[in-house]
Amino acid sequence: MKDWFLGRWNNLRQAQTNPTRWAHACVSVTEEDEWLHIKQWYDYQGEASPYRERYHLLEYISDTEVIVLNFSQDKKRNECCDMLVRFDGVAWNGSGGLNCRIRNANVESFFRLTENHIEAYDIGLSDTGESVSYTHLRAHETVLDLVCRLLLEK
């Protein structure tokens, strides 16, 4: 799984389909010792100005199950945002964060990782269950309370 994650990703194709809805976002996943360092930024602001930066450790349960352990930029543990990831023979599918809090919202995240694509969804809900747009991306809301969807390619 780690080898598929590593690299530089962006959603240029998605952003070009509807520029008023999707900002052109970039993601870098690098390995620093045992850590995965993930940095996200808008293309127009550059990599030196990320809007999100996190560290992760991978805890392998089996050949087809991994727990992605979540840490903040200063490497403080945030176990509520960990994700369980399973390989279905084609892609790694992750979900988690049932109690994850980001910017005063409960956030549940899902992703599907193949060798050259990441499809990521985040759902943000307030304490009263109302949909929130917690992300810096030009997030949108649907009837399913989906607030962010990124289609990333290498």
Side-chain angles (χ1 to χ4, degrees):
M1 184 178 102
K2 179 174 61 175
D3 292 339
W4 284 10
F5 252 133
L6 295 172
R8 295 176 73 82
W9 302 84
N10 73 75
N11 73 330
L12 179 61
R13 190 181 313 216
Q14 179 187 33
Q16 289 175 333
T17 63
N18 191 342
T20 60
R21 175 176 263 180
W22 303 109
H24 180 195
C26 302
V27 178
S28 169
V29 182
T30 57
E31 192 171 14
E32 297 178 9
D33 298 317
E34 75 272 21
W35 298 95
L36 287 183
H37 179 212
I38 300 177
K39 190 188 295 188
Q40 296 172 261
W41 67 94
Y42 295 121
D43 182 62
Y44 72 90
Q45 290 181 319
E47 188 172 356
S49 300
Y51 64 81
R52 183 178 297 141
E53 196 167 356
R54 296 272 188 260
Y55 285 89
H56 299 283
L57 292 174
L58 303 179
E59 184 177 294
Y60 288 87
I61 298 170
S62 71
D63 290 344
T64 59
E65 282 192 333
V66 179
I67 297 176
V68 177
L69 304 173
N70 193 303
F71 296 81
S72 63
Q73 186 177 351
D74 61 1
K75 296 184 180 174
K76 284 178 66 177
R77 184 84 169 89
N78 189 356
E79 63 274 351
C80 292
C81 295
D82 291 351
M83 297 184 83
L84 177 61
V85 185
R86 292 188 172 111
F87 188 66
D88 64 11
V90 175
W92 290 94
N93 299 283
S95 64
L98 295 174
N99 296 311
C100 183
R101 299 226 10 119
I102 299 174
R103 297 186 192 105
N104 297 317
N106 295 313
V107 179
E108 190 172 1
S109 298
F110 308 90
F111 74 86
R112 181 171 174 79
L113 168 70
T114 64
E115 201 165 354
N116 295 305
H117 294 89
I118 299 175
E119 190 167 353
Y121 299 88
D122 291 326
I123 298 169
L125 297 172
S126 70
D127 291 333
T128 61
E130 294 178 47
S131 184
V132 296
S133 296
Y134 73 91
T135 178
H136 288 283
L137 294 174
R138 292 183 189 158
H140 67 286
E141 299 168 4
T142 70
V143 294
L144 298 176
D145 297 320
L146 182 66
V147 296
C148 180
R149 178 177 182 239
L150 278 179
L151 304 174
L152 300 168
E153 300 176 75
K154 279 190 177 176

